Amino acid sequence: MDPHLLRTFVTVVRTGSFSAAAAELGYTQAAVSQQIASLENDLKATLLHRRPVGTTEAGARLLEHAGPILLRLQAARSEIVRMSGAPRARLRIGASPLASAHVAAPLARARAAHPRVEASVQVMARAGIDAAVAAGDLDIGLVDGIAAPSDPLRLADTVPLAAVAVAERPLALVLPSAHPLASRPGADLDDLVDALWLDVPDVAVPLPALRQATGSRDGFRASLTCEGGDLPFLLALIAAGHGLAVLPVGAADGAGLAEVPVRTPRIVHRTELLHSRATDPATAAFVAALS
């Protein structure tokens, strides 16, 4: 299967039209149509409905495979280029909001060791950091999530990266100090599936992760959903009574909120550093400083 044809197929699906895909890829619309026809001929299956554009059953199945395949190819290219090329004078770091607290000190040491390195930091959503590092769009990723004690975070199987444990902290239910649960010595999340929850997936523990950890199918429904945001904004929403959230212990210090330690399930908040297995000197200096 030609990866160029596969990339064209993914672009057509994502943009929703042959013309938009052609504009993005720098082809003519006729060329895009021909590439899709060639892919369909190779697979002996119709992949797209033309008017309106949408995937057939076979196309939907191919789309499930396409992302990991293309990412793995891009990751391979990025890693080989790193191994064979000259050291680059840049250091690009991506970090989820809670993981960004671990950037400043090691970045200072890496820049001191390599003063000519052009550094940049992007605070971004958890989802996609691993793929961006694998594809070479980031040199370092700092990502957080929940896991069983001492277990690594779950990354996509198709992403070949080196992962370094940075921190592991207990979790707490964060709620207003006047909340009826604030005086409890511990929180059992299985008993709180029907509480009012804040869905701020880039900062708090995502609600799907709580469902998976507790085995609840329909619990942990959002009373308020927020895309993006940061920790102070989330704490303000909790203080105003919009809902509860699970955060690492100490995250709400100084905010006038209560933290009730999570007793069950046995999960922790974990932060990991991600980087390509082939590193340049500036990346290696950052990793060594943080490790």
Side-chain angles (χ1 to χ4, degrees):
M1 189 185 307
D2 188 332
H4 296 290
L5 302 183
L6 191 59
R7 186 172 290 107
T8 298
F9 167 73
V10 170
T11 306
V12 171
V13 175
R14 177 170 51 79
T15 60
S17 77
F18 283 70
S19 59
E24 180 174 317
L25 295 170
Y27 300 139
T28 65
Q29 184 172 338
V32 168
S33 297
Q34 181 58 47
Q35 289 179 36
I36 297 300
S38 296
L39 183 60
E40 290 177 327
N41 183 61
D42 178 32
L43 296 176
K44 304 297 188 291
T46 301
L47 302 173
L48 293 173
H49 300 296
R50 268 44 177 190
R51 294 183 181 178
V53 172
T55 57
T56 63
E57 183 178 356
R61 186 62 56 85
L62 177 61
L63 193 62
E64 294 176 2
H65 293 283
I69 291 171
L70 293 174
L71 176 59
R72 193 64 186 249
L73 288 172
Q74 194 170 358
R77 177 182 178 82
S78 174
E79 189 167 341
I80 299 306
V81 168
R82 284 176 180 270
M83 293 175 65
S84 59
R88 294 175 299 172
R90 63 183 182 185
L91 180 60
R92 300 161 300 173
I93 302 168
S96 56
L98 294 185
S100 63
H102 298 280
V103 170
L107 178 58
R109 291 182 62 180
R111 297 183 74 186
H114 303 276
R116 294 186 179 182
V117 165
E118 181 181 336
S120 64
V121 179
Q122 181 180 0
V123 179
M124 55 194 295
R126 293 183 178 107
I129 290 179
D130 53 355
V133 176
D137 298 325
L138 294 173
D139 301 301
I140 287 172
L142 282 161
V143 65
D144 69 292
I146 62 171
S150 301
D151 277 2
L153 296 178
R154 293 183 178 180
L155 301 175
D157 294 336
T158 54
V159 180
L161 294 174
V164 180
V166 173
E168 195 170 280
R169 299 164 65 185
L171 288 164
L173 176 69
V174 181
L175 63 173
S177 56
H179 195 283
L181 300 177
S183 59
R184 288 192 177 185
D188 300 318
L189 297 184
D190 299 279
D191 298 333
L192 299 172
V193 294
D194 295 323
L196 295 178
W197 291 94
L198 285 168
D199 185 18
V200 189
D202 292 335
V203 187
V205 174
L207 300 187
L210 294 181
R211 293 188 196 103
Q212 184 176 14
T214 59
S216 172
R217 290 185 177 182
D218 302 320
F220 300 99
R221 295 184 178 180
S223 65
L224 179 67
T225 299
C226 176
E227 297 293 335
D230 55 19
L231 181 59
F233 178 63
L234 171 60
L235 298 179
L237 291 176
I238 297 172
H242 291 290
L244 314 180
V246 174
L247 290 165
V249 167
D253 286 351
L257 297 170
E259 290 188 353
V260 180
V262 172
R263 289 187 301 206
T264 61
R266 290 190 67 246
I267 50 177
V268 295
H269 179 266
R270 184 178 174 90
T271 303
E272 291 183 357
L273 180 151
L274 310 176
H275 63 87
S276 170
R277 294 172 296 183
T279 60
D280 53 50
T283 299
F286 186 101
V287 173
L290 192 51
S291 301

